Amino acid sequence: MTQVDFYILPDTTFEARLDFACRLAETIAGKGFRLHLHAEDEAMARDLDDRLWTFRPDAYLPHALLGSDMADSVAVTIGWEHPPEPVPDTSMAMLNLDPGIPEWFSRFERVAEIINQHQQVLTAKRECWQTYKQRGYPVKAHQLRG
């Protein structure tokens, strides 16, 4: 069954949420997962693509937009509409930055959700929390400090 982790940030900005997503993506990929970052829309996906190039000057996280020529050859994909194709014998995780829950989330071993203190994000992610819990998925909160 899919394990769901909510990371709760003290920040209120969109930028802080995406910056943390980059750091979390590096951590998840570093643990050997094939990771999919699910963005709200194409603009967010392209913003994440740019941020993953620059979030740390001393590191690079190989990644590609889903559907690009590179998507099959990297461990981190970014998309906004469809899930990546399953990879046999590979642990897969999703970092969900969409306000809702994609209907295909359960194909992943782990799902990470990022909450910050912006009212729209709080409202949307509270609903996600309740939906996961009602469906019986194990959910864990990680309260982060500023």
Side-chain angles (χ1 to χ4, degrees), residues 2-134:
T2 302
Q3 168 67 45
V4 182
D5 292 282
F6 280 80
Y7 295 86
I8 305 165
L9 305 177
D11 304 289
T12 60
T13 67
F14 176 75
E15 290 76 20
R17 188 169 180 243
L18 293 185
D19 288 343
F20 179 74
C22 291
R23 292 191 309 274
L24 185 57
E26 182 180 45
T27 299
I28 294 169
K31 291 182 178 182
F33 284 91
R34 186 169 178 89
L35 175 65
H36 179 66
L37 283 82
H38 182 64
E40 181 174 355
D41 54 26
E42 184 176 0
M44 180 189 276
R46 293 194 181 281
D47 189 2
L48 282 165
D49 183 35
D50 290 342
R51 285 173 190 266
L52 284 172
W53 283 101
T54 60
F55 79 100
R56 272 195 37 211
D58 62 335
Y60 169 67
L61 183 60
H63 65 280
L65 290 170
L66 207 56
S68 72
D69 293 339
M70 298 278 303
D72 290 337
S73 64
V74 294
V76 178
T77 57
I78 306 166
W80 63 93
E81 293 179 310
H82 307 289
E85 290 297 318
V87 178
D89 302 320
T90 302
S91 295
M92 294 183 68
M94 176 178 66
L95 201 167
N96 184 31
L97 293 160
D98 188 271
I101 302 170
E103 63 186 41
W104 35 264
F105 80 94
S106 62
R107 71 170 51 183
F108 296 92
E109 186 177 318
R110 304 286 301 256
V111 171
E113 299 270 4
I114 301 173
I115 302 173
N116 67 349
Q117 302 307 306
H118 186 279
Q119 193 57 49
Q120 286 178 315
V121 174
L122 285 169
T123 300
K125 292 304 168 183
R126 279 187 192 121
E127 289 178 24
C128 292
W129 176 283
Q130 291 170 352
T131 299
Y132 288 125
K133 292 294 279 184
Q134 288 169 353

